[in-house]
Amino acid sequence: MKIPIAKALFNSHSYLEYRKLISDLLFEKKSTGDEQSEDLTHYSELNETRMNRLDKTIKITEQISLKLKSLPREYIWLVISEGWCGDAAQLLPIINKMAIESGKIDLRIVLRDENEELMKLFLTNKKKAIPILILVDKETGSVLGNWGPRPQAAADLVTDYRKEFGVIDETLKTNLQLWYLHDKGISTQNELINLMMNL
């Protein structure tokens, strides 16, 4: 196992611990991460509401459920996240439901700013984009693959918008949240199960 991954796992959170950490910080008007601002706290508050809703509404499709239950080994899904990240708020409830459904996946979450060494191993276009899911074989500790920071269609939406307007602004963020709303977690489920099936 790579040293940054072993270190990260040692300091990782379960999904429920991660949710509690964000709630506790919000109680103090703070967000996770090194940087603190009103905007980041505001995003964290929005994300907590989103995650509460998604925890109740996200459904794993029957087809995906069967595949998750038929996985041949046990795995760790190590996710790099932060409470203020809009994509993470949309994706973690799906990832958590998939891990529970499988019974063979241990979901662990770490904070990006506390795991600089790990983050550097999984940059997207030389940027610290999150969330990133790192797929680890539980028995051997070897990294089998990674996924993120968002489903391909959502990534394309962001790329196309940036090409046209040259910025990431509130309009794009709204468009992205609407995309997630309409997708209902299906793209994420399909992409993650494809990753698992193609090991």
Side-chain angles (χ1 to χ4, degrees):
M1 184 180 284
K2 287 184 179 170
I3 289 168
I5 288 178
K7 272 191 200 165
L9 282 170
F10 186 74
N11 294 308
S12 65
H13 307 278
S14 69
Y15 183 70
L16 291 176
E17 288 165 349
Y18 173 79
R19 295 297 315 274
K20 185 177 186 309
L21 173 67
I22 293 168
S23 296
D24 290 350
L25 284 168
L26 282 173
F27 189 72
E28 299 171 31
K29 296 287 179 210
K30 292 180 182 172
S31 66
T32 64
D34 294 342
E35 190 186 328
Q36 295 294 321
S37 71
E38 276 184 33
D39 279 353
L40 290 177
T41 302
H42 172 66
Y43 289 135
S44 292
E45 286 169 345
L46 281 177
N47 289 340
E48 184 163 53
T49 304
R50 264 183 205 125
M51 291 178 86
N52 287 339
R53 176 177 54 81
L54 290 166
D55 280 341
K56 290 178 189 145
T57 59
I58 281 293
K59 302 269 188 287
I60 304 301
T61 70
E62 200 174 323
Q63 188 184 13
I64 302 274
S65 173
L66 289 171
K67 288 179 180 175
L68 284 167
K69 287 171 180 166
S70 71
L71 291 173
R73 304 198 293 284
E74 294 201 341
Y75 305 91
I76 299 166
W77 280 359
L78 176 60
V79 179
I80 308 171
S81 182
E82 290 286 354
W84 45 257
C85 175
D87 290 290
Q90 292 285 359
L91 298 168
L92 274 170
I94 304 163
I95 291 167
N96 179 53
K97 284 261 175 92
M98 290 180 78
I100 291 167
E101 190 76 13
S102 169
K104 295 177 181 175
I105 297 166
D106 182 12
L107 173 60
R108 305 302 300 173
I109 303 166
V110 293
L111 300 177
R112 182 189 76 174
D113 292 358
E114 290 178 4
N115 292 274
E116 184 78 17
E117 212 181 338
L118 179 69
M119 187 70 247
K120 281 181 180 165
L121 297 174
F122 296 95
L123 298 176
T124 305
N125 301 322
K126 299 182 183 171
K127 292 190 172 70
K128 299 182 199 173
I130 52 173
I132 296 291
L133 183 152
I134 304 158
L135 173 55
V136 181
D137 184 304
K138 198 165 193 175
E139 191 180 338
T140 65
S142 56
V143 174
L144 304 173
N146 62 277
W147 178 88
R150 52 179 70 101
Q152 190 58 55
D156 292 344
L157 178 91
V158 173
T159 303
D160 293 345
Y161 190 92
R162 284 182 76 170
K163 267 187 200 156
E164 190 172 348
F165 300 104
V167 290
I168 288 180
D169 57 14
E170 289 305 316
T171 304
L172 172 58
K173 288 176 184 175
T174 301
N175 291 349
L176 191 55
Q177 295 306 326
L178 286 170
W179 182 89
Y180 279 119
L181 187 67
H182 292 121
D183 184 69
K184 294 182 169 55
I186 300 301
S187 296
T188 302
Q189 291 181 49
N190 285 331
E191 288 184 24
L192 285 175
I193 204 65
N194 286 341
L195 177 67
M196 302 304 288
M197 293 285 130
N198 290 314
L199 295 176

